[in-house]
Amino acid sequence: MSTPIKRLEIIKNAIELEDDDIIHSQLIRLKNEAFDDELQAIVVALEEKNYTGAIRAITAWLQSQRAVAPWRDPQLAASKLELKALEERLRDLIDRRNARVQQLDEFNDLYFSRLGPLRKQILALRKTLAGLNLRRQRAEARRREVNYRRCQRYMAQAVEVLVTLTQRWRALPADSLHAAEARKHLQQQSQLIANLLAEALELESGLTPEDPARQARDEANQEYEKYREQHHDAEIRLRKSKALCEADQNELKRLWRQASKLCHPDLVADERKEDATTMMVQLNQAKQRGDVKAIRSLVARLQQGFEPMMASDRLNDLERIRKKMAQVREQIDALVHELAELEKQESWLLISSLNNMEAYFAQQERALNEVRASLELQVSEAQLKSAA
């Protein structure tokens, strides 16, 4: 009841202001709200531009309704309108965020399609090289361990000889020729022990744990497997996308964004969040399948709006409305921050700065081919060293 009252008050003021544009804009909506004969008669008078008769009828109808119409807190209407504006702001931000994410996803899929095979070869070569390096380190560690044990045995023998020589030298008279000869042998044996100690120290420094090399191999393996899965998923998405004509691809993107604005869980009233989440799952699944018909059907259901989903359309309690406004403001602040951070990312800066996509991919292909050639050479050299 309150909506026709407000609308007729606007039309009455517009007649007094002689503003035909306002009258016409409100008349379009009033025609859908004319629930009794008196209102329909007012609509006819306005359509016929019988403003004298219309304003008499409007004045009489408003007086009759004010006697029975319940009082409505102006703060409630103002708060509902403010909440609606906040919801629209949040809807626009979600749509902007979705558009950015969609652009990034499309670029990533195109990157996988154009450069994925080369990247996978490079990661496979790094994985092979890391494995060869680990095996070479293990072989080198085994060699050093053998040499270290041999050095220990030689040192033990040299120390025994040194003890014997020391005892013989101490038994000789200090002024004898034999004492001088024994002292010379002692000096030579001490130098031999010093050399063996230096060799042992060098071998010890090479007996490092294999953890870094093993970690490098494991990381190379994980990176390769992760990229292989991503490349596989991108290929599936691209196959589904190519199955659609260009018009259907564009409609799929447009409908997905449109539906996201209508049923995103962050946008709806709390009691409709579960329904909205279910719809978003259905929407994303349909997008992944490339099912334009399913998304079109979902958008139609949302647009018909048999039951309002937005909080501004559902809430009539001032306290709940204000609580929802505070919540939406927090969501807006979070999205503004998220968008600012997203637009600082290297990937977004790259996409937004690219003027010639073909030239970019050609340059990347040349650079990746150089990396692959370098890794192939490193792998060959590592294989030769392992075989030696």
Side-chain angles (χ1 to χ4, degrees), residues 308-370:
M309 297 191 73
M310 297 299 109
S312 58
D313 294 325
R314 293 178 65 85
L315 299 180
N316 288 295
D317 178 80
L318 188 58
E319 184 178 349
R320 290 184 66 194
I321 290 172
R322 287 174 173 169
K323 182 179 178 182
K324 185 65 178 178
M325 286 166 60
Q327 179 185 336
V328 173
R329 286 193 181 99
E330 288 180 4
Q331 291 171 318
I332 286 172
D333 290 342
L335 265 176
V336 168
H337 177 73
E338 182 183 343
L339 278 166
E341 291 301 311
L342 186 150
E343 290 173 358
K344 290 178 187 175
Q345 290 179 11
E346 187 177 346
S347 53
W348 177 254
L349 293 173
L350 170 65
I351 293 172
S352 56
S353 66
L354 280 179
N355 295 320
N356 188 328
M357 197 74 75
E358 280 301 318
Y360 167 77
F361 281 117
Q363 186 272 333
Q364 289 294 303
E365 190 172 358
R366 288 192 296 271
L368 290 174
N369 274 318
E370 290 177 4

Side-chain angles (χ1 to χ4, degrees), residues 107-171:
F107 178 80
N108 287 336
D109 284 349
L110 183 59
Y111 188 95
F112 277 117
S113 173
R114 295 289 299 271
L115 303 175
L118 257 177
R119 286 274 298 159
K120 194 157 69 168
Q121 291 172 26
I122 286 171
L123 291 173
L125 285 166
R126 285 177 177 163
K127 173 182 166 184
T128 300
L129 185 61
L132 288 169
N133 287 338
L134 179 59
R135 287 197 293 273
R136 187 171 70 251
Q137 180 176 322
R138 286 173 174 173
E140 175 66 13
R142 288 193 296 270
R143 182 189 68 77
R144 283 180 170 271
E145 181 69 24
V146 169
N147 289 340
Y148 185 73
R149 298 304 174 197
R150 186 173 62 248
C151 185
Q152 283 181 320
R153 290 196 302 273
Y154 289 163
M155 190 180 301
Q157 294 170 1
V159 169
E160 290 177 1
V161 171
L162 181 64
V163 170
T164 303
L165 288 173
T166 301
Q167 291 173 347
R168 185 181 304 167
W169 172 66
R170 290 177 65 185

Side-chain angles (χ1 to χ4, degrees), residues 37 41 85 96 104 152 209 212 216 218 253 264 271 296 337 372 386:
D37 293 341
R96 184 177 166 192
L104 285 167
Q152 283 181 320
D218 293 343
K253 297 173 191 174
H264 196 284
E271 59 269 26
R296 194 182 294 127
H337 177 73
R372 181 182 63 180
S386 298

Side-chain angles (χ1 to χ4, degrees), residues 179-321:
E181 187 70 21
R183 188 175 61 255
K184 182 179 178 182
H185 288 161
L186 276 174
Q187 290 172 339
Q188 292 173 345
Q189 195 66 18
S190 296
Q191 185 60 49
L192 174 61
I193 291 172
N195 292 339
L196 288 171
L197 281 170
E199 184 179 353
L201 183 61
E202 190 276 329
L203 289 169
E204 283 176 0
S205 66
L207 294 174
T208 55
E210 66 178 38
D211 290 349
R214 185 171 61 248
Q215 183 179 350
R217 183 206 57 187
D218 293 343
E219 287 176 354
N221 289 345
Q222 290 168 7
E223 189 176 3
Y224 174 79
E225 291 302 322
K226 180 181 177 181
Y227 191 85
R228 189 173 63 83
E229 290 176 6
Q230 291 174 339
H231 187 240
H232 175 72
D233 293 342
E235 285 179 330
I236 292 174
R237 287 193 298 270
L238 286 166
R239 278 200 301 271
K240 289 178 179 177
S241 176
K242 288 177 182 177
L244 299 173
C245 66
E246 185 175 353
D248 283 344
Q249 289 180 30
N250 292 333
E251 185 179 13
L252 181 73
K253 297 173 191 174
R254 180 182 63 79
L255 289 173
W256 179 79
R257 286 179 59 186
Q258 186 178 356
S260 297
K261 290 172 69 175
L262 293 171
C263 70
H264 196 284
D266 286 347
L267 286 167
V268 303
D270 292 342
E271 59 269 26
R272 296 304 306 271
K273 282 190 181 296
E274 187 174 346
D275 295 336
T277 300
T278 301
M279 288 183 183
M280 279 301 299
V281 170
Q282 294 172 354
L283 177 64
N284 289 329
Q285 289 174 344
K287 182 189 177 189
Q288 289 174 0
R289 296 193 306 271
D291 192 342
V292 180
K293 184 178 178 181
I295 296 182
R296 194 182 294 127
S297 173
L298 184 58
V299 171
R301 280 169 52 199
L302 290 165
Q303 287 178 330
Q304 286 169 0
F306 293 120
E307 186 177 357
M309 297 191 73
M310 297 299 109
S312 58
D313 294 325
R314 293 178 65 85
L315 299 180
N316 288 295
D317 178 80
L318 188 58
E319 184 178 349
R320 290 184 66 194
I321 290 172

